[in-house]
Amino acid sequence: MIEVGKYLIFLGPLIVIAVFWAMSTVERRHSGEPGAKSFFGRNGIAISVFLLGAVGLWAIIMIVLPQLYMVDFSFHPKLPPRDYGGPNDHYTLDSYRYFIFGSTTSMDQLNVIHLKAFFMTIFASIIVTAINFCICYPMAYYMAQVATPERLRLFMLMLIAPFWVNEILRAFAFRVLFATSGLINNVLLGIGVIAEPIDFLGLDVAMYTGLSYAYLLMMMFPLYNAIESLDKNQIEAARDLGAPWWHIHLFVVMPFAKPGIASGCTMVFMLTAGALAAPLILGGPNTLWFTPIVYDRFYQAFNWPQGSAYAFILLLTCIVFVLAVLRVFKVSLGEITR
């Protein structure tokens, strides 16, 4: 069985590539324009071979193989390195059983802490994604359809410049702002709004704010790119017909920007669910976040099979979320990757 698993690790990338190649071929045949040139026809044989080879090697070596090895590793027991591949090395569901029940032998009670952290992380990631959309959509619409070129450049600079600072430093800056003796509490105390400091860190306000800010651009740019390509005449026509502003956005702009909305939502959700720095720095003593637990499985408990199983569960959840977003917005994978 161990040898079969090793072969699957190397055959897996070929299977994944074949599946995606088939999906792209079917999608191109159903949605392609008549007379459109093929990939080789647009770029030439030399450039096309180079692009396919470079992207293929990067995807296989840096993404597919590590993920497949992690999946295979998650089905093995915890063993010393010298026992890998030996008689005690076999396929087992112990790591997944531990995630659910907190034990590899007993199923008497659930692993409440890990399960609660997992579902809280997924729920909070959805909330952060919704907050980012509510913040970014008006800004993206203004930049794409209303702002002059001068204001557009100014807005772009104001959005991008703060992200020149490292993510860790930004997280510590938020911790300083939201600390009990931080700037926000001092201002609120000074103007008499509160009588005593608020524990923003313990209430996870700082963590959710930091996560929303950290991935703001991941929502902004897909929305801007989608709305910017909308013909302004469609908006003017809707106004001439007497449509209110909310009707224009709900039935004209948003349906057109569905690929950008889906792309932004998937990126923000996946990055938030997999965030590690912000929950560790901005989280309170009672904060439950799943990625620090995954980290602890690897580097505190030194149980790499359990860490791999936890990471694989999170990966599967993110994939399910992406597929659900594609279904809800009724867009294809190719549309959100344009």
Side-chain angles (χ1 to χ4, degrees):
M1 290 294 292
I2 303 299
E3 294 298 326
V4 174
K6 292 180 179 179
Y7 287 125
L8 286 176
I9 289 178
F10 290 100
L11 290 175
L14 299 178
I15 297 173
V16 172
I17 291 173
V19 170
F20 278 99
W21 186 282
M23 289 173 60
S24 63
T25 302
V26 172
E27 183 177 331
R28 185 172 62 252
R29 289 178 178 177
H30 284 284
S31 60
E33 297 178 0
K37 290 184 178 180
S38 64
F39 178 75
F40 286 92
R42 293 195 305 270
N43 301 290
I45 296 178
I47 296 178
S48 299
V49 171
F50 171 76
L51 290 175
L52 290 175
V55 174
L57 286 175
W58 177 81
I60 292 174
I61 295 174
M62 301 299 295
I63 300 176
V64 179
L65 277 178
Q67 295 292 336
L68 288 175
Y69 189 81
M70 178 194 70
V71 173
D72 179 74
F73 204 64
S74 69
F75 291 100
H76 290 267
K78 180 184 178 182
L79 295 172
R82 65 176 180 274
D83 291 337
Y84 291 162
N88 295 326
D89 194 1
H90 57 276
Y91 284 104
T92 177
L93 294 174
D94 285 350
S95 298
Y96 296 93
R97 189 180 296 112
Y98 187 90
F99 170 73
I100 299 175
F101 300 106
S103 172
T104 58
T105 57
S106 174
M107 295 186 292
D108 294 337
Q109 58 184 4
L110 295 176
N111 188 357
V112 177
I113 295 178
H114 290 184
L115 289 173
K116 184 178 179 180
F118 174 75
F119 288 109
M120 282 296 297
T121 300
I122 300 303
F123 176 75
S125 299
I126 295 175
I127 296 300
V128 169
T129 302
I131 292 173
N132 272 18
F133 174 75
C134 293
I135 294 173
C136 292
Y137 177 81
M139 297 171 60
Y141 178 81
Y142 177 82
M143 293 168 58
Q145 296 289 333
V146 180
T148 61
E150 292 77 13
R151 287 193 176 183
L152 175 61
R153 287 192 292 268
L154 178 61
F155 269 87
M156 285 291 186
L157 181 61
M158 293 172 63
L159 284 170
I160 295 174
F163 288 86
W164 293 347
V165 180
N166 184 272
E167 181 182 358
I168 304 295
L169 297 179
R170 295 201 306 268
F172 276 110
F174 271 96
R175 188 175 182 90
V176 172
L177 287 175
F178 285 97
T180 305
S181 58
L183 177 63
I184 296 178
N185 269 312
N186 286 334
V187 171
L188 295 177
L189 287 169
I191 62 178
V193 175
I194 57 176
E196 58 183 18
I198 300 174
D199 187 10
F200 290 113
L201 297 175
L203 296 173
D204 290 335
V205 175
M207 185 180 70
Y208 295 143
T209 305
L211 286 171
S212 299
Y213 177 78
Y215 307 118
L216 202 68
L217 295 186
M218 299 298 106
M219 180 69 76
M220 172 62 69
F221 287 133
L223 286 176
Y224 170 78
N225 289 333
I227 299 174
E228 193 271 338
S229 61
L230 175 63
D231 188 355
K232 294 183 179 181
N233 291 327
Q234 296 187 33
I235 300 176
E236 293 299 329
R239 286 174 180 164
D240 292 341
L241 293 173
W245 65 268
W246 63 267
H247 198 281
I248 294 174
H249 287 281
L250 191 61
F251 296 104
V252 178
V253 181
M254 287 187 182
F256 183 85
K258 282 194 302 183
I261 298 173
S263 178
C265 288
T266 54
M267 286 194 294
V268 171
F269 174 84
M270 295 180 73
L271 290 171
T272 304
L276 180 62
L280 287 176
I281 297 173
L282 298 175
N286 298 319
T287 299
L288 286 176
W289 201 261
F290 192 63
T291 44
I293 295 177
V294 178
Y295 178 88
D296 289 341
R297 295 294 95 191
F298 279 110
Y299 296 108
Q300 298 296 327
F302 296 103
N303 194 330
W304 284 56
Q306 276 188 16
S308 299
Y310 281 34
F312 183 50
I313 291 170
L314 185 61
L315 174 64
L316 283 180
T317 306
C318 290
I319 293 174
V320 170
F321 179 84
V322 172
L323 295 177
V325 168
L326 295 179
R327 185 67 180 270
V328 169
F329 288 98
K330 296 180 180 179
V331 295
S332 65
L333 187 62
E335 288 179 294
I336 70 171
T337 55
R338 288 176 183 174

